[in-house]
Amino acid sequence: MLIVLIHELLGGRTDLSAARCPQTHAHTHTGMPQTVCSGTMFTTPSGFSPHLACAEPGEEEEAPQEGPGPVACLADGPPITSASLDTLIQNLVPTADYYPEKAYVFTFLLSARLFIPPPELLARVCELCIKQQQLDQSPLDTAKVRKFGPKILQLLTEWTETFPTDFRDEKMVGHLKDIIHRIAPCDEAYWKTLNQVLQKLSQRLALMSQGEESIVKVSLNASSISDKLVAFKTKPPPIQKDMLSICNDPYTLAQQLTHVELEHLSHIGPEEFVQAFVQKDPLDGTQPCFGDQKKKTTNLEAYVRWFNRLCYLVATEICMPAKKKQRATVIEFFIDVARECFNIGNFNSLMAIISGMNMSPVSRLKKTWGKAKTAKFFILEHQMDPTGNFYNYRTALRGAAHRSQTANSNRERIVIPFFSLLIKDIYFLNEGCANRLPNGHVNFEKFVELARQVGEFMTWKQVECPFEVDRAILHYLHTAPIFSEDGLYLASYESESPENQVEKDRWKALRSNVLGKT
């Protein structure tokens, strides 16, 4: 469902070149995690620099062990490209002397859900901790546990903060409490830390639930389509409000659009990018780890719907006025809004506005466009040109990302990517690379690239919007009636008469169907 929406938005204009499958080694020995040279490593603005603990080529995997070992000790070595699921789980497990790099924790927790449900993964981690630290024996080695305790708490804290929705499953909280219960006799402070973690988690989940409910409610209200408004074109203007009567300042509207965008982004969890494209892997003998209830991409889909709504709202605002001069004024206004979105770094609203202005019912209004000053529009179109897999846009995005890294204010930190293209890049990465290699190893290099893309997005979505909220504008953006495609064509034909017989026949059919006229 999601990728169908994305594909329609992009018109199939994106190819595989932006999501090349990392070079993997299917012929390698079954027992060894595979690595690549350090020259392939990267660093992102999010800090997810994937220096991953791994075994050197030529070394066999060994049984889990305490302290340094082939799996645990080489955190400064080259990153893993492939390994067995068991080895990857072992790499996640902290010991008294080892803690996995943050990049590895994020990458594995993001991708592991394709192979093992989060509750089962946490259960495996806890079992390994109990075995390695001998937490099922009495008395405990207090000195050893006190070195291990802070590390397991750190891992659990990172998990709850980065993937809080995993802990909506009561089994997750149960595993978390169990492992802390085992180490608490060595230091009562562990219980205090756990309670703090659980309290923050509970507050975060409550806020997320409220936000998700709000987004769904807004989406439902925003779905109102009123093609009957075409009839208002022949009536006095006060009957129907328009955007310019609510806000006539392009910069202010661009700021409010940025509010909407960042609000949507704040609700999207990293796991949704994985869950959006879950499918059966022919090389994986297990069933997908998501049932219908667990595979939730509600926030992703709501964000795509917002993009669609903004496209249609822009087109509706242009087609609605009865007079050519008014329509030209609206076109010039939205060109200025789009330019301000570009300057802010709000590429998603920018692309939605351009897409709305390029819809056929709008683009066919040749007399209207002839009245408008459009030089700035063509510059913006050039920036978002799909040629070369959106080369110009991707260059501008890198510039905005660089500005964000060195920014001193939230205003300069704003980077809102063209979301549909980001999703399609991830889709092609998923489609172009198998989750497992023929030898059964997890294709971890693929997931390092996935984590890079998602990790960068996670950094951008954490920016707080620095602009003052205007409730009236936000309400209008979310609730103003919009035309369907038929309504847009009808309004367009009512504004500028059909030019050929095909358009005349369509106009006649639309007047009959929508307005009940002949």
Side-chain angles (χ1 to χ4, degrees):
M1 174 63 179
L2 180 63
I3 197 59
V4 170
L5 288 171
I6 301 299
H7 190 74
E8 288 175 352
L9 288 177
L10 291 167
R13 294 178 297 190
T14 308
D15 55 40
L16 289 169
S17 60
R20 293 185 297 271
C21 183
Q23 294 300 310
T24 51
H25 310 280
H27 62 277
T28 51
H29 192 286
T30 306
M32 297 181 294
Q34 300 303 311
T35 64
V36 292
C37 66
S38 58
T40 64
M41 293 187 296
F42 52 81
T43 304
T44 72
S46 58
F48 294 119
S49 178
H51 292 236
L52 307 179
C54 59
E56 291 287 1
E59 290 183 346
E60 295 289 345
E61 294 178 20
E62 296 183 7
Q65 56 184 286
E66 171 64 24
V71 171
C73 71
L74 299 174
D76 294 327
I80 294 172
T81 62
S82 67
S84 68
L85 183 61
D86 287 343
T87 297
L88 295 172
I89 293 174
Q90 176 61 61
N91 260 4
L92 183 67
V93 177
T95 70
D97 303 308
Y98 163 76
Y99 188 81
E101 295 233 358
K102 188 171 184 177
Y104 181 83
V105 174
F106 177 75
T107 301
F108 186 60
L109 290 182
L110 177 68
S111 58
R113 61 197 66 238
L114 289 170
F115 309 100
I116 179 172
E120 188 178 330
L121 174 60
L122 183 53
R124 291 275 297 276
V125 169
C126 291
E127 288 169 8
L128 286 169
C129 288
I130 292 168
K131 183 178 179 181
Q132 292 176 16
Q133 307 304 318
Q134 300 177 318
L135 299 179
D136 53 352
Q137 297 184 15
S138 184
L140 296 174
D141 184 335
T142 301
K144 182 178 174 183
V145 171
R146 282 182 173 173
K147 289 179 67 179
F148 164 75
K151 292 184 172 66
I152 187 62
L153 278 168
Q154 182 182 347
L155 177 65
L156 295 173
T157 300
E158 282 187 39
W159 197 332
T160 59
E161 289 177 349
T162 311
F163 300 94
T165 56
D166 288 352
F167 292 84
R168 282 175 168 162
D169 191 319
E170 293 181 2
K171 293 178 184 176
M172 294 288 290
V173 177
H175 293 316
L176 191 153
K177 289 180 177 179
D178 178 68
I179 192 68
I180 302 305
H181 175 76
R182 291 175 182 274
I183 64 174
C186 296
D187 192 334
E188 286 297 322
Y190 295 149
W191 274 122
K192 183 178 179 181
T193 303
L194 173 65
N195 287 332
Q196 291 172 343
V197 169
L198 290 175
Q199 186 176 9
K200 287 182 181 178
L201 176 63
S202 177
Q203 292 171 348
R204 179 88 180 275
L205 290 175
L207 285 173
M208 290 177 70
S209 294
Q210 292 173 11
E212 289 167 0
E213 290 171 7
S214 174
I215 288 290
V216 170
K217 186 176 180 181
V218 166
S219 294
L220 291 174
N221 290 337
S223 64
S224 61
I225 296 174
S226 185
D227 293 339
K228 295 288 186 183
L229 289 175
V230 177
F232 292 157
K233 291 173 70 67
T234 59
K235 296 183 180 180
I239 292 181
Q240 168 65 11
K241 286 185 179 180
D242 57 30
M243 176 58 76
L244 285 172
S245 69
I246 303 296
C247 174
N248 60 8
D249 178 40
Y251 185 51
T252 299
L253 181 55
Q255 290 179 335
Q256 299 312 303
L257 288 171
T258 302
H259 265 293
V260 177
E261 301 283 351
L262 288 173
E263 175 67 18
H264 272 283
L265 294 188
S266 69
H267 298 299
I268 299 173
E271 69 282 352
E272 289 195 49
F273 290 95
V274 174
Q275 293 169 188
F277 305 121
V278 170
Q279 58 184 5
K280 187 74 174 67
D281 189 331
L283 296 173
D284 186 0
T286 61
Q287 293 296 316
C289 296
F290 303 104
D292 292 337
Q293 294 182 346
K294 290 185 179 180
K295 185 185 172 184
K296 289 187 176 180
T297 55
T298 307
N299 299 308
L300 279 181
E301 292 173 18
Y303 193 34
V304 173
R305 284 195 299 273
W306 154 250
F307 182 94
N308 286 337
R309 172 173 171 76
L310 184 53
C311 290
Y312 275 82
L313 179 61
V314 169
T316 299
E317 293 286 331
I318 294 172
C319 290
M320 189 63 203
K323 295 183 179 180
K324 178 171 54 181
K325 185 177 179 180
Q326 290 175 318
R327 293 193 298 274
T329 299
V330 176
I331 286 176
E332 291 175 357
F333 173 72
F334 277 112
I335 290 172
D336 288 337
V337 174
R339 183 186 60 179
E340 296 298 346
C341 286
F342 180 85
N343 293 335
I344 288 171
N346 180 356
F347 297 103
N348 202 56
S349 289
L350 165 63
M351 192 60 178
I353 292 170
I354 291 175
S355 298
M357 298 175 80
N358 276 327
M359 292 179 74
S360 295
V362 178
S363 62
R364 67 168 297 277
L365 299 172
K366 295 181 177 63
K367 295 176 183 177
T368 301
W369 281 94
K371 279 281 185 181
K373 298 173 183 177
T374 56
K376 289 179 287 187
F377 178 69
F378 297 129
I379 294 172
L380 292 171
E381 269 197 318
H382 178 70
Q383 288 291 340
M384 304 305 284
D385 186 347
T387 303
N389 199 11
F390 289 89
Y391 176 82
N392 293 338
Y393 158 70
R394 293 182 193 277
T395 301
L397 181 67
R398 284 196 298 272
H402 179 72
R403 179 187 68 182
S404 179
Q405 285 180 267
T406 58
N408 296 315
S409 67
N410 278 344
R411 165 65 184 81
E412 296 174 320
R413 289 192 182 96
I414 295 172
V415 182
I416 302 173
F418 174 26
F419 194 69
S420 298
L421 186 59
L422 172 64
I423 291 293
K424 201 163 188 183
D425 283 347
I426 292 174
Y427 171 75
F428 278 134
L429 173 64
N430 185 63
E431 287 291 296
C433 310
N435 291 339
R436 288 185 187 267
L437 303 183
N439 63 5
H441 277 188
V442 172
N443 184 3
F444 200 69
E445 190 176 8
K446 167 184 175 176
F447 298 117
V448 169
E449 172 60 18
L450 174 65
R452 183 191 68 77
Q453 294 186 28
V454 175
E456 192 170 46
F457 169 81
M458 294 300 291
T459 299
W460 297 336
K461 87 184 201 79
Q462 291 167 8
V463 174
E464 290 187 18
C465 190
F467 307 123
E468 187 176 344
V469 171
D470 188 312
R471 298 292 177 191
I473 298 174
L474 292 178
H475 183 263
Y476 186 86
L477 287 171
H478 287 308
T479 62
I482 56 174
F483 292 146
S484 67
E485 186 175 356
D486 282 348
L488 285 173
Y489 270 109
L490 179 56
S492 180
Y493 294 143
E494 295 285 338
S495 297
E496 295 187 17
S497 300
E499 296 182 344
N500 54 55
Q501 191 59 46
V502 173
E503 287 190 344
K504 288 178 181 178
D505 291 343
R506 185 171 190 181
W507 184 25
K508 183 177 180 180
L510 289 172
R511 285 176 66 86
S512 175
N513 294 336
V514 176
L515 300 180
K517 295 181 179 180
T518 57

Coordinates of all heavy atoms in Angstrom, one line a residue, residues 231-287:
A231 N -19.2 25.1 -7.8 CA -20.4 25.9 -8.1 C -20.2 27.3 -7.5 O -20.8 28.3 -7.9 CB -21.6 25.3 -7.4
F232 N -19.3 27.5 -6.5 CA -19.1 28.8 -5.9 C -18.3 29.7 -6.8 O -18.2 30.9 -6.5 CB -18.3 28.6 -4.6 CG -19.1 28.0 -3.5 CD1 -18.4 27.3 -2.4 CD2 -20.4 27.9 -3.5 CE1 -19.1 26.7 -1.4 CE2 -21.2 27.3 -2.5 CZ -20.5 26.7 -1.4
K233 N -17.8 29.2 -7.9 CA -17.0 30.1 -8.8 C -17.9 31.2 -9.4 O -17.3 32.2 -9.8 CB -16.4 29.3 -9.9 CG -15.3 28.3 -9.4 CD -14.8 27.4 -10.5 CE -14.0 28.1 -11.6 NZ -12.7 28.7 -11.1
T234 N -19.1 31.0 -9.4 CA -20.0 32.0 -10.0 C -20.7 32.8 -9.0 O -21.6 33.6 -9.3 CB -21.1 31.3 -10.9 OG1 -21.9 30.3 -10.1 CG2 -20.4 30.5 -12.0
K235 N -20.4 32.6 -7.7 CA -21.0 33.3 -6.6 C -20.0 34.2 -5.9 O -18.8 34.2 -6.1 CB -21.6 32.3 -5.6 CG -22.7 31.4 -6.2 CD -23.3 30.4 -5.2 CE -24.4 29.6 -5.9 NZ -25.0 28.7 -4.9
P236 N -20.5 35.1 -5.0 CA -19.6 36.1 -4.3 C -18.5 35.4 -3.6 O -18.7 34.3 -3.0 CB -20.6 36.8 -3.3 CG -21.9 36.6 -4.0 CD -21.9 35.3 -4.6
P237 N -17.3 35.9 -3.5 CA -16.1 35.4 -2.9 C -16.3 35.0 -1.4 O -15.8 34.0 -1.0 CB -15.1 36.5 -3.0 CG -15.5 37.2 -4.2 CD -17.0 37.2 -4.2
P238 N -17.1 35.7 -0.6 CA -17.1 35.4 0.9 C -17.7 34.0 1.2 O -17.5 33.5 2.3 CB -18.1 36.5 1.4 CG -18.0 37.6 0.5 CD -17.8 37.0 -0.9
I239 N -18.3 33.4 0.2 CA -18.9 32.1 0.5 C -17.8 31.1 0.8 O -18.0 30.2 1.7 CB -19.8 31.6 -0.7 CG1 -21.0 32.5 -0.8 CG2 -20.1 30.1 -0.6 CD1 -21.9 32.1 -2.0
Q240 N -16.7 31.2 0.2 CA -15.6 30.2 0.4 C -14.3 30.9 0.8 O -13.9 31.7 0.0 CB -15.4 29.3 -0.9 CG -14.1 28.5 -0.9 CD -14.1 27.4 0.2 OE1 -15.2 27.1 0.8 NE2 -13.0 26.8 0.4
K241 N -13.8 30.6 1.9 CA -12.5 31.1 2.3 C -11.4 30.6 1.4 O -11.5 29.5 0.8 CB -12.1 30.7 3.7 CG -12.9 31.5 4.8 CD -12.4 31.2 6.2 CE -13.2 32.0 7.2 NZ -12.7 31.6 8.6
D242 N -10.3 31.3 1.2 CA -9.2 30.8 0.5 C -7.9 31.1 1.3 O -7.9 31.8 2.3 CB -9.1 31.4 -0.9 CG -9.0 33.0 -0.9 OD1 -8.5 33.5 0.1 OD2 -9.5 33.6 -1.8
M243 N -6.8 30.6 0.8 CA -5.5 30.7 1.6 C -5.1 32.1 1.8 O -4.7 32.5 2.9 CB -4.4 29.9 0.9 CG -3.1 30.0 1.5 SD -3.0 29.5 3.3 CE -3.1 27.7 3.0
L244 N -5.2 32.9 0.7 CA -4.8 34.3 0.8 C -5.6 35.1 1.8 O -5.1 36.1 2.3 CB -4.8 35.0 -0.6 CG -3.7 34.5 -1.5 CD1 -3.9 35.1 -2.9 CD2 -2.4 35.0 -1.0
S245 N -6.8 34.7 2.1 CA -7.6 35.4 3.1 C -7.2 35.0 4.5 O -7.4 35.7 5.5 CB -9.1 35.1 2.9 OG -9.4 33.8 3.3
I246 N -6.5 33.9 4.6 CA -6.0 33.4 5.9 C -4.6 33.8 6.2 O -4.2 34.2 7.3 CB -6.1 31.8 6.0 CG1 -7.5 31.3 5.7 CG2 -5.5 31.3 7.3 CD1 -8.5 31.8 6.8
C247 N -3.8 33.8 5.1 CA -2.3 34.1 5.2 C -1.9 34.6 3.8 O -1.9 33.9 2.9 CB -1.5 33.0 5.7 SG 0.3 33.3 5.6
N248 N -1.4 35.9 3.8 CA -0.9 36.4 2.5 C 0.6 36.6 2.5 O 1.1 37.3 1.6 CB -1.7 37.7 2.1 CG -1.5 38.8 3.2 OD1 -0.7 38.6 4.1 ND2 -2.2 39.9 3.1
D249 N 1.2 36.1 3.5 CA 2.7 36.3 3.6 C 3.4 34.9 3.3 O 3.2 34.0 4.1 CB 3.1 36.8 5.0 CG 4.6 36.9 5.2 OD1 5.3 37.3 4.2 OD2 5.1 36.5 6.2
P250 N 4.1 34.8 2.2 CA 4.7 33.5 1.9 C 5.6 33.0 2.9 O 5.6 31.7 3.2 CB 5.5 33.9 0.6 CG 4.8 35.1 0.0 CD 4.4 35.9 1.2
Y251 N 6.4 33.8 3.6 CA 7.4 33.3 4.6 C 6.6 32.7 5.8 O 7.0 31.7 6.3 CB 8.3 34.4 5.1 CG 9.4 34.0 6.0 CD1 10.2 32.9 5.7 CD2 9.6 34.7 7.2 CE1 11.2 32.5 6.6 CE2 10.6 34.3 8.1 CZ 11.4 33.2 7.7 OH 12.4 32.8 8.6
T252 N 5.5 33.4 6.2 CA 4.7 32.9 7.3 C 4.1 31.5 7.0 O 4.2 30.6 7.8 CB 3.6 33.8 7.7 OG1 4.2 35.1 8.1 CG2 2.8 33.3 8.9
L253 N 3.6 31.4 5.8 CA 3.0 30.1 5.4 C 4.1 29.0 5.3 O 3.8 27.9 5.7 CB 2.3 30.2 4.0 CG 1.6 28.9 3.5 CD1 0.6 28.4 4.6 CD2 0.9 29.2 2.2
A254 N 5.3 29.3 4.8 CA 6.3 28.4 4.7 C 6.7 27.9 6.1 O 7.0 26.7 6.3 CB 7.6 29.0 4.0
Q255 N 6.7 28.8 7.1 CA 7.0 28.5 8.5 C 6.0 27.5 9.0 O 6.3 26.5 9.7 CB 7.1 29.7 9.3 CG 8.3 30.6 9.1 CD 8.3 31.9 9.9 OE1 7.2 32.3 10.4 NE2 9.4 32.4 10.1
Q256 N 4.7 27.8 8.7 CA 3.6 26.9 9.3 C 3.7 25.5 8.6 O 3.4 24.5 9.2 CB 2.3 27.6 9.1 CG 2.1 28.9 9.8 CD 2.6 28.8 11.3 OE1 2.1 28.0 12.1 NE2 3.6 29.7 11.6
L257 N 4.0 25.5 7.3 CA 4.2 24.2 6.6 C 5.3 23.4 7.3 O 5.2 22.2 7.4 CB 4.5 24.4 5.1 CG 3.3 24.9 4.3 CD1 3.8 25.3 2.9 CD2 2.2 23.8 4.2
T258 N 6.3 24.1 7.7 CA 7.5 23.4 8.4 C 7.0 22.9 9.7 O 7.5 21.8 10.1 CB 8.6 24.4 8.5 OG1 9.0 24.9 7.3 CG2 9.8 23.8 9.2
H259 N 6.1 23.6 10.4 CA 5.6 23.0 11.6 C 4.9 21.7 11.4 O 5.0 20.7 12.1 CB 4.5 24.0 12.2 CG 5.1 24.9 13.3 ND1 5.5 24.5 14.5 CD2 5.3 26.3 13.3 CE1 6.0 25.5 15.2 NE2 5.9 26.6 14.5
V260 N 4.0 21.7 10.3 CA 3.3 20.5 10.0 C 4.3 19.3 9.7 O 4.1 18.2 10.1 CB 2.3 20.7 8.8 CG1 1.6 19.4 8.5 CG2 1.3 21.8 9.2
E261 N 5.2 19.6 8.9 CA 6.2 18.6 8.4 C 6.9 18.0 9.6 O 7.0 16.8 9.8 CB 7.2 19.2 7.5 CG 6.7 19.8 6.2 CD 6.3 18.7 5.2 OE1 6.6 17.6 5.4 OE2 5.6 19.1 4.2
L262 N 7.5 18.9 10.5 CA 8.2 18.4 11.6 C 7.4 17.6 12.7 O 7.8 16.7 13.3 CB 9.0 19.6 12.3 CG 10.2 20.1 11.5 CD1 10.7 21.4 12.2 CD2 11.3 19.1 11.4
E263 N 6.1 18.1 12.7 CA 5.2 17.3 13.6 C 5.0 15.9 13.1 O 5.0 14.9 13.9 CB 3.8 18.1 13.7 CG 2.7 17.3 14.5 CD 3.0 17.3 16.0 OE1 3.9 18.0 16.5 OE2 2.4 16.4 16.6
H264 N 4.8 15.8 11.8 CA 4.6 14.4 11.2 C 5.9 13.6 11.4 O 5.9 12.4 11.8 CB 4.3 14.5 9.7 CG 2.9 14.6 9.4 ND1 2.0 13.5 9.4 CD2 2.1 15.7 9.1 CE1 0.8 13.9 9.1 NE2 0.8 15.2 8.9
L265 N 7.1 14.2 11.1 CA 8.3 13.5 11.3 C 8.6 13.0 12.7 O 9.1 11.9 12.9 CB 9.5 14.4 10.8 CG 9.6 14.8 9.4 CD1 10.9 15.5 9.1 CD2 9.4 13.6 8.4
S266 N 8.2 13.8 13.7 CA 8.5 13.5 15.1 C 7.8 12.1 15.5 O 8.3 11.5 16.4 CB 8.0 14.6 16.0 OG 6.6 14.7 16.0
H267 N 6.8 11.7 14.8 CA 6.0 10.5 15.2 C 6.5 9.3 14.4 O 6.1 8.2 14.8 CB 4.5 10.7 14.9 CG 3.9 11.8 15.7 ND1 3.9 11.8 17.1 CD2 3.3 12.9 15.3 CE1 3.3 12.9 17.5 NE2 2.9 13.6 16.5
I268 N 7.4 9.4 13.4 CA 7.9 8.3 12.7 C 9.1 7.6 13.3 O 10.1 8.3 13.5 CB 8.3 8.7 11.2 CG1 7.0 9.3 10.5 CG2 8.8 7.5 10.4 CD1 7.4 9.9 9.2
G269 N 8.9 6.4 13.7 CA 10.0 5.6 14.4 C 10.9 5.0 13.3 O 10.4 4.7 12.2
P270 N 12.2 4.7 13.6 CA 13.1 4.1 12.6 C 12.6 2.7 12.2 O 12.8 2.3 11.0 CB 14.4 4.0 13.4 CG 14.0 4.1 14.8 CD 12.8 4.9 14.9
E271 N 11.9 2.0 13.1 CA 11.4 0.6 12.7 C 10.4 0.6 11.6 O 10.2 -0.3 10.9 CB 10.9 -0.1 13.9 CG 9.6 0.4 14.5 CD 9.7 1.7 15.3 OE1 10.9 2.1 15.6 OE2 8.7 2.3 15.7
E272 N 9.7 1.8 11.4 CA 8.7 1.8 10.4 C 9.3 1.7 9.0 O 8.6 1.2 8.1 CB 7.9 3.1 10.5 CG 6.9 3.2 11.7 CD 5.9 4.3 11.6 OE1 5.2 4.4 10.6 OE2 5.7 5.0 12.6
F273 N 10.5 2.2 8.8 CA 11.2 2.0 7.5 C 11.4 0.6 7.2 O 11.4 0.2 6.0 CB 12.5 2.8 7.5 CG 12.3 4.3 7.5 CD1 12.3 5.0 8.8 CD2 12.1 5.0 6.4 CE1 12.2 6.4 8.8 CE2 11.9 6.4 6.4 CZ 12.0 7.1 7.6
V274 N 11.7 -0.2 8.2 CA 11.9 -1.7 8.0 C 10.6 -2.4 7.8 O 10.4 -3.2 6.8 CB 12.7 -2.3 9.1 CG1 12.8 -3.8 9.0 CG2 14.1 -1.7 9.2
Q275 N 9.6 -2.0 8.6 CA 8.3 -2.7 8.6 C 7.5 -2.4 7.3 O 6.7 -3.2 6.9 CB 7.5 -2.4 9.8 CG 8.1 -2.9 11.1 CD 7.5 -2.4 12.4 OE1 8.1 -2.6 13.4 NE2 6.5 -1.6 12.3
A276 N 7.8 -1.3 6.7 CA 7.1 -0.9 5.5 C 7.3 -1.9 4.3 O 6.4 -2.0 3.5 CB 7.5 0.5 5.0
F277 N 8.4 -2.5 4.3 CA 8.8 -3.4 3.2 C 9.1 -4.8 3.5 O 9.8 -5.5 2.8 CB 10.0 -2.8 2.4 CG 9.8 -1.4 2.0 CD1 10.6 -0.4 2.5 CD2 8.7 -1.0 1.2 CE1 10.5 1.0 2.1 CE2 8.5 0.4 0.9 CZ 9.4 1.3 1.3
V278 N 8.5 -5.3 4.6 CA 8.7 -6.6 5.1 C 8.1 -7.6 4.0 O 7.0 -7.4 3.6 CB 8.0 -6.9 6.4 CG1 8.0 -8.4 6.7 CG2 8.8 -6.1 7.5
Q279 N 8.9 -8.6 3.6 CA 8.4 -9.6 2.7 C 9.1 -10.9 3.0 O 10.1 -10.9 3.7 CB 8.6 -9.2 1.3 CG 10.0 -8.9 0.9 CD 10.1 -8.4 -0.5 OE1 9.1 -8.2 -1.2 NE2 11.3 -8.2 -1.0
K280 N 8.6 -12.0 2.5 CA 9.2 -13.3 2.7 C 10.5 -13.3 1.9 O 10.6 -13.1 0.7 CB 8.3 -14.4 2.2 CG 8.8 -15.8 2.5 CD 8.6 -16.1 4.0 CE 9.0 -17.5 4.3 NZ 10.4 -17.8 4.1
D281 N 11.6 -13.6 2.6 CA 12.9 -13.8 2.0 C 13.1 -15.2 1.5 O 13.0 -16.1 2.3 CB 14.0 -13.4 3.0 CG 15.4 -13.3 2.3 OD1 15.6 -14.0 1.3 OD2 16.3 -12.6 2.8
P282 N 13.2 -15.5 0.2 CA 13.3 -16.8 -0.3 C 14.5 -17.6 0.2 O 14.5 -18.8 0.3 CB 13.5 -16.7 -1.8 CG 14.0 -15.3 -2.0 CD 13.4 -14.5 -0.9
L283 N 15.5 -16.9 0.8 CA 16.7 -17.6 1.3 C 16.5 -17.8 2.8 O 17.4 -18.3 3.5 CB 18.0 -16.8 1.0 CG 18.3 -16.7 -0.4 CD1 19.5 -15.7 -0.6 CD2 18.7 -18.0 -1.0
D284 N 15.4 -17.3 3.4 CA 15.2 -17.4 4.8 C 14.1 -18.4 5.1 O 13.0 -18.2 4.6 CB 14.8 -16.0 5.4 CG 14.7 -16.0 6.9 OD1 14.9 -17.0 7.5 OD2 14.4 -14.9 7.4
G285 N 14.4 -19.4 5.8 CA 13.4 -20.5 6.0 C 12.4 -20.1 7.1 O 11.4 -20.8 7.2
T286 N 12.5 -19.0 7.8 CA 11.6 -18.6 8.8 C 10.5 -17.7 8.2 O 10.6 -17.2 7.1 CB 12.3 -17.8 9.9 OG1 12.8 -16.7 9.4 CG2 13.4 -18.7 10.5
Q287 N 9.4 -17.6 8.9 CA 8.3 -16.7 8.5 C 8.7 -15.3 8.9 O 9.4 -15.0 9.8 CB 7.0 -17.1 9.2 CG 6.5 -18.5 8.8 CD 6.1 -18.5 7.3 OE1 5.5 -17.6 6.8 NE2 6.5 -19.6 6.6

